[in-house]
């Protein structure tokens, strides 16, 4: 199925040695580039899926009816998709806790389903083949009005690089991410982030662990044979490593893994602080101090490469700034949020439409002035073009307006009206100083 709204040559399907059929860029894609835009092959309400502890059950009859009602291209496209719930992985638990074998149609749907709405999941010819990474370089979002799933590049993606998205919240701890991915999709993540600490989370019987154990056994057998040939030792005399109770694979770097986990925990803490601020348990100062560590250039979020979280976090910090009537900080945070959402969701996404006028006039924010004015220092985003946002025009208009006020004040003073009490608008004062 041809994707819409993007160059047809921007991506291609290819067979990855680790992930099977995958999607990669054929040209260098800049951040914010639309990669794929496509309608679902199937779109099914989530209510038809019953979640058990270790399984998802979708009635085979529902899929059969849906496929029967679809076009021939939809049927062929669906049946071409992979099924992670096959072979040994097809055994699941039913509603009563007993074991049953998942049918191929259900397995194919669960392997490839993408949440489109809180109430629905869809299967897509191309987007469903995009693999998971806990540090993804792309993000998918569904438009209920256009009924299309769009995939945007979060960062520049070089040609011949695999395109990845995150199947779950990347802020989950590594062991929880691995468990959820295995239960839901029947695979262990081997992305660059998880690989640092992968040795601690593999379980007995895991395909990757079996593969590594076989390689280790082959290496030991070869070492024993080589030693025997040169007379240094016999096969049964080769020194064996003491078991440690843990499986640590080559490339494991626990210090780096723990540092990554700590950084991701700090992002979770920022979210919790914002919730506490909403409940009036912490001050805006506390939120902004922590937000600077997370959001500023070369901060925690950038170090972890979680570009897909920027829009949401900048929007949350913007709400704090707007509530406390800070014009300059609301402008900064809202413009950073708009820029991030444009990259991750597209320029016409609901998130961008809701916020795009706030940089020009922060007082239009729905939470403006809900709390007492506070003068604090918010995080400073990188690469915000003030000219594009129209701040220069607004600043010029503000200066002209203030000059007129000053002239009027002088005239009134000359007429004997200068001793009247002046009502000071804190917002206008800040606007004047920032202009």
């Amino acid at each position: 199925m041809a994707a819409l709204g993007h160059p047809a040559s921007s991506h291609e399907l290819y067979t990855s040695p680790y992930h099977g059929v995958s999607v990669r860029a054929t040209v260098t894609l800049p951040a914010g580039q639309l990669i794929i835009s496509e309608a679902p092959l199937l779109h099914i309400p989530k209510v038809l899926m019953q979640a058990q502890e270790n399984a998802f059950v979708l009635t085979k009859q529902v899929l059969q009816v849906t496929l029967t009602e679809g076009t021939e291209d939809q049927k062929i496209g669906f049946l071409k998709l992979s099924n992670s719930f096959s072979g040994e992985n097809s055994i699941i638990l039913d509603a009563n806790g007993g074991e049953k074998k998942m049918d191929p149609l259900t397995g194919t749907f669960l392997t490839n389903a993408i949440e489109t709405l809180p109430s629905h999941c869809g299967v897509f010819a191309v987007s469903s083949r995009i693999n998971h990474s806990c540090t993804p370089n792309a993000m998918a979002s569904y438009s209920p009005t256009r009924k299309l799933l769009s995939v945007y590049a979060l960062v520049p993606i070089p040609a011949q690089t695999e395109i990845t998205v995150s199947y779950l919240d990347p802020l989950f701890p590594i062991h929880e991410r691995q468990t959820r991915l295995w239960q839901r999709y029947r695979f262990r993540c081997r992305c660059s982030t998880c690989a640092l600490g992968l040795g601690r989370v593999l379980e007995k019987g895991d395909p990757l662990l079996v593969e590594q154990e076989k390689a280790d056994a082959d290496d030991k057998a070869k070492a024993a044979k080589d030693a025997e040939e040169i007379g240094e030792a016999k096969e049964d005399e080769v020194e064996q490593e003491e078991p440690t109770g843990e499986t640590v694979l080559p490339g494991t770097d626990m210090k780096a893994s723990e540092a990554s986990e700590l950084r991701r925990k700090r992002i979770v803490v920022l979210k919790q602080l914002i919730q506490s601020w909403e409940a009036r348990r912490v001050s805006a100062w506390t939120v902004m101090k922590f937000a600077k560590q997370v959001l500023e250039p070369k901060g925690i979020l950038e170090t972890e490469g979680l570009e897909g979280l920027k829009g949401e976090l900048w929007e949350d910090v913007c709400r704090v700034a707007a509530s406390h009537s800070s014009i300059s900080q609301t402008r900064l945070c809202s413009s950073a949020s708009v820029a991030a959402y444009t990259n991750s969701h597209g320029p016409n996404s609901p998130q961008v439409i809701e916020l795009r006028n706030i940089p020009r006039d922060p007082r239009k924010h729905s939470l403006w002035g809900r709390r007492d004015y506070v003068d604090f220092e918010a995080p400073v985003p990188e690469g915000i073009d003030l000219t594009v946002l129209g701040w220069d025009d607004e600043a010029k208009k503000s200066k002209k307006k203030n000059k007129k006020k000053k002239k009027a004040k002088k005239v009134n003073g000359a007429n004997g009206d200068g001793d009247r009490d002046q009502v000071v608008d804190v917002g206008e004062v800040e606007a004047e100083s920032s202009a």
Side-chain angles (χ1 to χ4, degrees):
M1 179 178 178
L4 306 174
H6 60 88
S9 59
S10 66
H11 66 278
E12 66 180 0
L13 299 180
Y14 79 109
T15 302
S16 164
Y18 300 107
H19 307 137
V21 180
S22 309
V23 184
R24 67 183 174 190
T26 55
V27 295
T28 299
L29 302 172
Q33 172 69 51
L34 175 63
I35 307 172
I36 300 166
S37 184
E38 61 176 335
L41 297 170
L42 297 176
H43 206 220
I44 295 179
K46 281 186 182 178
V47 71
L48 299 176
M49 292 168 38
Q50 298 175 348
Q52 305 301 328
E53 184 177 355
N54 294 313
F56 287 75
V57 179
L58 178 67
T59 60
K60 183 178 180 180
Q61 292 77 10
V62 172
L63 280 172
Q64 287 176 330
V65 171
T66 305
L67 286 172
T68 302
E69 294 176 349
T71 65
E72 191 64 25
D73 287 344
Q74 287 176 316
K75 296 176 190 176
I76 294 173
F78 178 81
L79 295 175
K80 280 183 178 179
L81 297 172
S82 60
N83 176 16
S84 298
F85 294 86
S86 59
E88 295 180 356
N89 292 339
S90 64
I91 305 302
I92 59 172
L93 299 180
D94 60 21
N96 299 320
E99 291 187 352
K100 64 173 292 186
K101 191 172 183 178
M102 182 178 288
D103 65 89
L105 286 180
T106 303
T108 300
F109 181 85
L110 294 177
T111 302
N112 298 281
I114 298 174
E115 181 178 307
T116 53
L117 300 168
S119 59
H120 282 70
C121 281
V123 174
F124 299 81
V126 179
S127 300
S128 289
R129 294 188 183 274
I130 299 177
N131 287 313
H132 164 84
S133 172
C134 297
T135 308
N137 57 21
M139 189 169 186
S141 61
Y142 183 77
S143 170
T145 54
R146 299 171 61 217
K147 297 183 179 179
L148 294 173
L149 184 81
S150 298
V151 180
Y152 287 89
L154 292 174
V155 295
I157 304 176
Q160 302 305 304
T161 301
E162 182 176 3
I163 296 168
T164 58
V165 297
S166 182
Y167 291 1
L168 42 63
D169 187 346
L171 298 180
F172 286 138
I174 183 171
H175 65 275
E176 187 171 350
R177 296 199 303 270
Q178 296 290 340
T179 300
R180 285 173 177 262
L181 289 170
W182 177 257
Q183 290 178 351
R184 177 64 177 81
Y185 299 101
R186 289 298 192 268
F187 74 86
R188 302 287 185 192
C189 181
R190 293 189 285 180
C191 71
S192 58
T193 302
C194 289
L196 295 173
L198 192 59
R200 306 290 185 178
V201 298
L202 292 179
E203 298 175 359
K204 188 173 179 61
D206 184 279
L208 181 59
L209 179 55
V210 172
E211 179 184 339
Q212 184 62 38
E213 288 175 341
K214 183 178 183 301
D216 289 344
D218 291 342
D219 289 344
K220 287 179 181 179
K222 185 177 183 301
K225 184 178 180 180
D226 292 344
E228 186 176 10
E229 286 178 355
I230 62 175
E232 289 184 353
K234 293 189 177 181
E235 187 172 348
D236 57 356
E237 295 175 351
V238 175
E239 183 179 355
Q240 301 291 325
E241 294 182 0
E242 290 294 325
T244 62
E246 294 177 326
T247 302
V248 181
L249 300 185
T252 297
D253 184 342
M254 290 313 300
K255 286 186 178 180
S257 177
E258 288 166 2
S260 174
E261 287 294 285
L262 180 59
R263 286 191 292 268
R264 295 191 181 218
K265 284 180 182 177
R266 287 183 177 274
I267 299 173
V268 174
V269 170
L270 173 58
K271 288 189 167 189
Q272 293 171 341
L273 284 174
I274 292 172
Q275 291 175 351
S276 296
W277 169 84
E278 290 173 344
R280 298 180 182 269
R281 291 197 295 268
V282 300
S283 68
W285 283 90
T286 303
V287 173
M288 292 301 176
K289 182 179 179 180
F290 212 87
K292 287 175 70 66
Q293 299 178 31
V294 173
L295 288 169
E296 285 198 336
K298 297 183 181 179
I300 292 173
L301 201 64
E302 185 175 313
T303 303
E304 281 301 293
L306 297 175
E307 297 292 320
L309 299 179
K310 273 188 175 180
E312 173 190 350
L313 289 174
W314 277 113
E315 182 182 6
D316 286 343
V317 175
C318 177
R319 288 167 44 229
V320 177
S323 293
H324 291 286
S325 306
S326 176
I327 286 184
S328 58
Q329 308 302 346
T330 303
R331 272 181 171 157
L332 282 172
C333 297
S334 60
S335 60
S337 182
V338 168
Y341 275 138
T342 299
N343 273 0
S344 61
H345 290 71
N348 297 315
S349 62
Q351 292 85 350
V352 172
I353 291 172
E354 181 180 354
L355 291 170
R356 64 187 176 190
N357 290 323
I358 304 302
R360 289 182 178 274
D361 188 356
R363 293 182 183 86
K364 288 185 178 179
H365 196 288
S366 60
L367 297 181
W368 181 262
R370 295 286 182 89
R371 301 195 185 184
D372 293 340
Y373 172 76
V374 176
D375 183 17
F376 47 71
E377 185 178 351
V380 179
E382 185 178 33
I384 300 300
D385 190 339
L386 305 188
T387 305
V388 171
L389 289 170
W391 290 10
D392 290 352
D393 293 340
E394 294 296 317
K396 289 176 182 176
K397 289 179 183 177
S398 179
K399 285 181 179 179
K400 287 180 180 179
K401 185 177 180 181
N402 290 329
K403 284 181 180 178
K404 289 181 179 179
K405 284 184 178 181
K406 287 179 181 178
K407 286 182 180 179
K409 186 176 180 182
K410 287 180 180 179
V411 171
N412 291 334
N415 293 332
D417 297 331
D419 293 331
R420 294 179 182 175
D421 292 336
Q422 300 293 320
V423 178
V424 180
D425 184 332
V426 174
E428 289 185 0
V429 172
E430 189 173 10
E432 182 176 351
S433 61
S434 64

